[in-house]
Amino acid sequence: MPRLTDVNEQRLPTAEPKPAVPDVPDVPAVPAQGVGPRMALALELFTLRRDPLPAMGRPKWLARLPHVFVAYAAVFFGFLTTEQLMDHYHVKGGPPLAVALLTALSIWLAMFRPIAAWWLGLLAASWIAWMVRDTVGQGQTWPWMPGGMFALAPVLLLVALRVPPRVTIWVVGVSVALTGAAELTFRPDGSQISSMAATVLFGFVGLLGYALRALRLARGELVEQETLTAEERARRTLLEERSRIARELHDVVAHHMSVISIQAQVAPHLVENPSEELRENLAGIRENALEALTELRRVLGVLRSEQPGDPADPQHPQPTLAELDGLVDNVRGAGLDVTTEVAGIRRSLAPGVELTAYRIVQEALSNCLRHAPGSRVEVGVAYGPRELHLCIANSAPTRPAPPSQGAGHGLLGMRERAGMLGGELAAGPRPDGGYEVSAVLPMDPQNPAAGTGPETKKAP
């Protein structure tokens, strides 16, 4: 018989802790109460707020790839600025190195403080325009050098990725407006205008950043919604399983209540000259039993009305371990190789234990049929002095399993049933590629803590 211990338990999903959501969208700073929209926009355009560039969610080993690209762009455009100032505009000395360092710093700073980096990039561009104004040759662009506007493009992209669209529009608009104002006011003779190219480039970068930001926000919301949906599905499945357990246990409880009522009615006739107090007590016991039975049937009617399509026959007796051979024969008829082994002295158990044990074996065999076609299954039942041990283990499947249409919460129901009786259930893969489910149920559950079992072992 398969071992009933040393099983790597596989837990079902829980609502807490929530899985981390990749690329969590940034939340803009909330303006102070009483600040108008224009003042709020001004605060957004002149903020020094820290807003780090988020890492990539997947794959994990490429999480910092965007930061590497930005750092490379900072170094590249720093060298490009120096080369163009010295070779094309013939500016010598220390200023080209200083302004190149300022350009590189603005790109690097955009990873952490995008708005501040944008202003720093405009300052560097203004310094360059003033520096080369007297040395611009015929046909050379001004106020932007050929590589200057491309050096500001990464900064604008990083700004658009993390600020609201209205701020992006103003950032791009101010950049283009300053370019046009400089051309109209200070353009050197013979120089070529760069406002058209800057408008096209900056507008494209702003749109690209807006699209990527919208995609990131939508993906974050989708992941959050999927998480909430999975939690709600698990919660709904748990409630449905508890409802099903309550319906199945109705017959067991109703039987005992009926026996109590009948015994209380018959007891006075078994005693010679019973006292009036005894008759009243027995009548009260019978009356309370009948009231409890009525309430139980009323609750069961509500539960059944919530599950009108339930195929279970309310008049059919609930199964027990005595019907285990018939269950195994049905599974064999479906094409699964199943062997059974019973250890200990087989005896009748409490009805709730019999029903729970049967349902656990039934669900485990159903999982074998769905997920392990062609495997060999061993079903072990061991009767101990105080506990009933169950073990259902299957070997690795010999052919691919067809797609399953179920919700995937069969283990949840099994744990719920075992926990209801104060027992335990474990499930997990085996070293040979198979799977194993084992359960320990008390023979005579005296204090079944309803819900304590499942709550301590909540599902994946």
Side-chain angles (χ1 to χ4, degrees):
M1 184 176 69
R3 294 190 306 166
L4 300 176
T5 57
D6 300 333
V7 178
N8 296 324
E9 182 176 356
Q10 189 178 60
R11 297 182 182 272
L12 298 171
T14 57
E16 296 179 356
K18 290 186 178 180
V21 178
D23 287 339
V24 177
D26 55 282
V27 179
V30 178
Q33 187 175 5
V35 176
R38 293 183 179 179
M39 181 58 68
L41 178 61
L43 292 176
E44 288 284 352
L45 288 175
F46 292 96
T47 182
L48 296 178
R49 183 179 71 253
R50 179 178 173 83
D51 190 2
L53 181 67
M56 292 180 61
R58 298 176 183 176
K60 291 295 185 182
W61 62 279
L62 290 180
R64 295 297 173 181
L65 184 61
H67 302 74
V68 174
F69 280 144
V70 174
Y72 174 79
V75 175
F76 173 78
F77 284 110
F79 280 107
L80 182 62
T81 300
T82 305
E83 189 270 337
Q84 289 190 349
L85 283 173
M86 291 184 175
D87 294 347
H88 297 278
Y89 291 87
H90 309 290
V91 180
K92 306 297 182 182
L97 295 177
V99 77
L101 180 62
L102 199 62
T103 301
L105 180 61
S106 68
I107 299 176
W108 177 84
L109 184 62
M111 289 191 294
F112 309 101
R113 303 180 188 272
I115 297 297
W118 169 62
W119 284 113
L120 186 62
L122 289 182
L123 176 63
S126 301
W127 189 2
I128 293 173
W130 174 80
M131 190 184 302
V132 303
R133 183 174 182 275
D134 297 331
T135 61
V136 173
Q138 187 70 27
Q140 289 184 317
T141 58
W142 190 90
W144 293 102
M145 297 189 305
M149 65 180 70
F150 287 97
L152 188 64
V155 178
L156 293 178
L157 178 63
L158 293 173
V159 170
L161 282 173
R162 285 172 289 162
V163 299
R166 70 179 187 281
V167 180
T168 300
I169 293 174
W170 275 92
V171 167
V172 173
V174 169
S175 303
V176 173
L178 290 177
T179 302
E183 287 182 348
L184 292 175
T185 309
F186 305 106
R187 185 168 73 90
D189 295 335
S191 65
Q192 183 178 351
I193 64 173
S194 57
S195 57
M196 294 300 296
T199 301
V200 173
L201 177 62
F202 295 164
F204 171 77
V205 170
L207 286 175
L208 178 62
Y210 166 75
L212 293 177
R213 180 177 184 271
L215 178 63
R216 182 161 57 91
L217 290 173
R219 185 173 62 177
E221 292 176 358
L222 178 62
V223 172
E224 182 179 2
Q225 187 60 41
E226 289 177 348
T227 302
L228 294 176
T229 302
E231 294 173 0
E232 184 61 29
R233 186 185 300 116
R235 190 178 298 110
R236 185 176 65 251
T237 303
L238 177 63
L239 294 177
E240 291 175 354
E241 187 62 29
R242 287 179 175 177
S243 175
R244 181 186 175 194
I245 293 172
R247 295 195 309 273
E248 291 182 347
L249 290 180
H250 163 263
D251 291 344
V252 176
V253 179
H255 169 74
H256 289 293
M257 297 302 295
S258 300
V259 171
I260 293 174
S261 174
I262 295 173
Q263 288 178 337
Q265 184 179 11
V266 173
H269 302 285
L270 302 179
V271 180
E272 185 177 356
N273 299 323
S275 65
E276 190 63 27
E277 291 182 355
L278 178 61
R279 290 179 179 274
E280 290 180 357
N281 287 334
L282 292 175
I285 293 175
R286 182 174 184 272
E287 182 178 353
N288 289 331
L290 291 177
E291 289 181 0
L293 189 58
T294 302
E295 291 297 327
L296 182 63
R297 286 171 177 166
R298 183 178 295 115
V299 172
L300 180 69
V302 174
L303 294 177
R304 291 198 184 279
S305 66
E306 293 177 355
Q307 302 286 339
D310 191 351
D313 183 0
Q315 306 301 326
H316 192 277
Q318 297 297 346
T320 64
L321 287 178
E323 303 176 39
L324 183 61
D325 293 338
L327 173 64
V328 172
D329 290 339
N330 290 336
V331 176
R332 287 177 183 147
L336 207 62
D337 184 9
V338 184
T339 59
T340 60
E341 183 174 348
V342 179
I345 301 175
R346 178 178 288 184
R347 56 191 182 275
S348 298
L349 308 175
V353 178
E354 292 270 2
L355 174 60
T356 298
Y358 181 90
R359 292 303 188 197
I360 290 176
V361 176
Q362 183 184 44
E363 180 63 30
L365 291 177
S366 298
N367 288 340
C368 294
L369 283 172
R370 286 194 299 265
H371 306 298
S375 63
R376 295 183 64 258
V377 183
E378 299 178 3
V379 178
V381 181
Y383 291 83
R386 297 183 180 86
E387 295 173 333
L388 176 70
H389 296 258
L390 303 173
C391 184
I392 304 91
N394 63 274
S395 61
T398 58
R399 57 182 183 271
S404 176
Q405 302 298 325
H409 295 289
L411 288 176
L412 183 76
M414 289 191 281
R415 280 200 177 94
E416 192 75 11
R417 291 178 181 277
M420 177 188 63
L421 300 176
E424 296 181 355
L425 185 138
R430 305 177 72 189
D432 61 355
Y435 203 82
E436 181 172 341
V437 176
S438 62
V440 180
L441 305 177
M443 289 282 194
D444 186 17
Q446 299 295 331
N447 185 24
T452 55
E455 296 301 326
T456 56
K457 289 188 178 182
K458 275 216 178 188

